[in-house]
Amino acid sequence: MTQGTLLRQITDYANRADPYPLYAELRRTPVSRQDDGVYAVSTYWEILSLLHDPRISSDIRNRLPGAAGGLPPDAEEDTGLPPSFIRLDPPEHDRLRRLAMRPFGPPHTPRRIHDMRGDLSRMVTGLIDDLGDRREADLVDDFAYPFPVMVICRLLGVPHEDEARFHVWAERIVAGIDPSSSEDPAQRQLTAQQARVELGRYLAGLAEEHRRTPGDDLLSAMVTAQDPQGRLTPIEMITTAVLLFIAGHETTVNLITNGMLTLLRHPEALARLSKEPELAVPLVEELLRFEPPVQFLPQRTALADIEVAGTVIPKGAPIWLVLASGSRDPRRFDEPDRFDPERADNQHFGFGSGVHYCFGAPLARLEAQIALTQLARRLSDPGLAEDPPPYRRNPVLRGPRHLRVAFDGLTG
């Protein structure tokens, strides 16, 4: 195995259950050029520097034609939805993000997430109650997937009964960022873009309904906003709604599932959480470091020649920021491969950093804190029915596809 083939090994499904030894190998060279031309950045301080470096672009259109993951030389202009703001650079990124955040939190709606706490607790209670007299459950299908979907539907104002429709769209969109797929990349991107368009049309129809009869939800807020500093255009509103819908549940599913898997592998921490609910706050931060739902950012591009740790990344070259590796860098974290629910100074990359820091982080944290606390308290003597569990195919959004857990019934 050479440094130039490590990313290929990491994205290989055979290593999905435990990529961390490969990350340790990758960190031996903080910036390594892979055989396909990608520059992998794997150490904490170098990743942090680039996340805050304006010479790094999130816009794939800045990548050299024909570069790995870039646009082919003969690519025609995309006729689907334009990119969402997470795939744009300042100043356009900043304008769209500011408008998107307006109905989501401070300063315009500072209590929105806080005031959802009661609803979130009731959703979690209901899902656990639905397990009834069962002695085994798939915590993905029975809990970790439906809970964030219920939350984002409530937040955006999307009818939950349409879940079967948007589940298919979401899976196809997420597959579009899977660099390990054996499917033709162009076909995969086309399928993902078609799904974005279909989901966008669906959300546009809903937005029109909310314009006529607005409610206390984000779609209503976006289509009725009156702001002297500007408002989202109709197409910007659609791309933003698609982004919020997908990002609002896909990563949280992994956070909760990876969290329960880790706790079941560390029963002493699970037992503590069941008796000390206040432990949930630092525990979730450690989970975001130890088993992050987003493993790396594969769509960054150098806007200029950039020297990092003695290596020059040339202008136009593709860059992968390997967040999960950085969050286990021993130069930054003591005993990084040890799960420590009370770890101090835990500045992980679980939500990224810099201008693209996840603005849904407060909601994801709260969802995970409530979900894991109630599962720890109410599942009697739980244990893994299968370890390691089967994982999702996607190495970027890494998490179990199923998590079968046996238990002796429910308490409370």
Side-chain angles (χ1 to χ4, degrees), residues 376-397:
R377 182 176 63 84
R378 297 200 57 198
L379 296 184
S380 178
D381 194 24
L384 290 168
E386 183 180 14
D387 190 14
Y391 274 78
R392 298 170 70 168
R393 302 297 305 183
N394 196 318
V396 179
L397 301 176

Side-chain angles (χ1 to χ4, degrees), residues 123-328:
M123 292 177 193
V124 169
T125 297
L127 287 168
I128 295 176
D129 285 346
D130 286 346
L131 298 178
D133 297 329
R134 294 165 58 181
R135 294 294 182 268
E136 184 175 303
D138 178 354
L139 287 189
V140 176
D141 289 346
D142 296 328
F143 185 87
Y145 174 76
F147 173 45
V149 168
M150 292 166 67
V151 173
I152 199 62
C153 285
R154 178 77 58 86
L155 189 64
L156 276 175
V158 174
H160 188 262
E161 55 267 27
D162 288 347
E163 188 274 335
R165 296 172 63 190
F166 54 69
H167 180 62
V168 174
W169 293 327
E171 286 196 329
R172 290 174 180 169
I173 292 169
V174 169
I177 62 170
D178 179 358
S180 67
S181 175
S182 58
E183 185 183 355
D184 175 63
Q187 181 58 48
R188 187 173 72 247
Q189 291 299 323
L190 177 61
T191 301
Q193 184 66 323
Q194 288 173 339
R196 283 186 78 229
V197 169
E198 291 174 20
L199 178 55
R201 288 178 182 148
Y202 167 80
L203 291 172
L206 279 180
E208 186 55 38
E209 295 177 17
H210 287 251
R211 190 191 307 276
R212 293 193 296 267
T213 55
D216 184 25
D217 56 74
L218 296 191
L219 275 180
S220 295
M222 284 192 284
V223 297
T224 61
Q226 301 294 329
D227 189 329
Q229 296 184 14
R231 60 185 297 175
L232 294 169
T233 66
I235 194 66
E236 289 169 351
M237 188 278 297
I238 292 170
T239 59
T240 299
V242 169
L243 169 64
L244 296 181
F245 186 78
I246 299 297
H249 73 275
E250 282 289 342
T251 54
T252 309
V253 174
N254 282 353
L255 176 55
I256 294 171
T257 310
N258 286 335
M260 274 307 292
L261 175 61
T262 301
L263 288 171
L264 289 166
R265 288 170 170 171
H266 297 81
E268 69 290 346
L270 184 65
R272 277 194 64 192
L273 181 61
S274 69
K275 298 179 176 63
E276 305 171 36
E278 66 277 7
L279 183 65
V281 173
L283 183 144
V284 167
E285 297 309 304
E286 176 68 344
L287 289 170
L288 285 160
R289 184 198 70 83
F290 187 75
E291 284 279 19
V294 178
Q295 296 276 294
F296 40 83
L297 301 177
Q299 292 176 321
R300 297 293 193 266
T301 303
L303 294 176
D305 290 355
I306 305 171
E307 183 175 347
V308 183
T311 296
V312 174
I313 303 175
K315 179 180 178 179
I319 302 171
W320 285 26
L321 302 177
V322 191
L323 304 182
S325 174
S327 287
R328 291 213 189 188

